[in-house]
Amino acid sequence: TCALPISRAAAPGRRLYLARVPLSRLTQFSAWQFYAGGGRWPAGQQNAEPVQSGAGFDVSSGFSVTRVGHRYWLIQAGGGQDIDAYPASAPWGPFDPAAAVLLYRDPAVGLDAAHDYRIMYEARAEPALSTRDTMVISYNVNSAAVTAGCLPMSAFTNTVTQPRFVTVPLAALSGSSSGSGGGARPVAASGPQGYPRIVPRDPSQWFSSW
């Protein structure tokens, strides 16, 4: 069995928590307060409550919340090939899974030999790279592929773990009112990616560590 430091994009049961602290005391953890529902902000992380529980909404280990128009959007890798956006009327939610918008679908990601067992995770908005009309989103890719000797693909090439970027038109969010659905088309698309395929050259030498 191989053990690799690869995290899944969407972990079942991973909930969203909210904390606040004066900027001048950011490094003093004792000064932090945690949202506990009903407008309560007690001290102590053990008193925190999920801002959105029991709604079938799981968050990624890395995500962004950004304002577009009159709504806030949680941007994250939705599992598999997709990057999704979930709307809310406040920065902390509740975010509406039924009204999610499919922003991008990476055709190079997939847990099979044809896709090099690649996974997507930690999609985030990049305000410094975005414009008035567009939002740039970065995301990470890794491979669950290992050799028979448990060597990961990163031992042979650095092309798998290089960050990716995609540009999304803000109009797709500011004017959106319907959910993505299973057959929705992504808002953004990309041309052919120049990353070399490794596993298809000799599939019998590679295995999924999952």
Side-chain angles (χ1 to χ4, degrees):
T1 302
C2 300
L4 295 178
I6 298 177
S7 28
R8 294 179 181 269
R14 180 177 285 150
R15 300 303 182 204
L16 181 63
Y17 291 83
L18 188 65
R20 69 181 184 183
V21 63
L23 185 60
S24 61
R25 304 183 66 187
L26 184 62
T27 60
Q28 301 174 26
F29 195 62
S30 61
W32 286 44
Q33 295 177 327
F34 298 87
Y35 181 76
R40 296 180 295 114
W41 291 88
Q45 185 177 358
Q46 71 277 6
N47 297 313
E49 294 289 340
V51 298
Q52 188 167 346
S53 60
F57 181 72
D58 300 323
V59 294
S60 170
S61 59
F63 61 89
S64 290
V65 175
T66 185
R67 184 174 181 175
V68 179
H70 299 291
R71 286 187 289 183
Y72 294 88
W73 295 84
L74 187 147
I75 312 293
Q76 69 172 8
Q81 299 174 306
D82 296 347
I83 297 176
D84 298 317
Y86 303 85
S89 57
W92 46 82
F95 298 94
D96 187 0
V101 175
L102 173 60
L103 298 181
Y104 178 63
R105 177 167 289 158
D106 189 337
V109 169
L111 272 175
D112 54 31
H115 294 88
D116 282 337
Y117 300 105
R118 297 184 187 189
I119 61 171
M120 173 198 293
Y121 61 102
E122 295 194 352
R124 294 184 174 93
E126 300 287 353
L129 302 178
S130 302
T131 70
R132 181 178 179 179
D133 301 315
T134 65
M135 177 195 305
V136 173
I137 297 174
S138 67
Y139 63 98
N140 294 324
V141 173
N142 208 330
S143 174
V146 294
T147 66
C150 269
L151 285 175
M153 189 173 292
S154 59
F156 301 90
T157 176
N158 69 344
T159 61
V160 176
T161 55
Q162 291 176 349
R164 273 69 160 173
F165 298 86
V166 62
T167 301
V168 173
L170 290 183
L173 295 178
S174 59
S176 175
S177 60
S178 60
S180 60
R185 298 183 62 182
V187 170
S190 67
Q193 298 185 8
Y195 302 104
R197 287 290 189 266
I198 307 298
V199 174
R201 298 175 185 174
D202 194 352
S204 65
Q205 299 300 310
W206 294 94
F207 307 88
S208 172
S209 62
W210 285 1

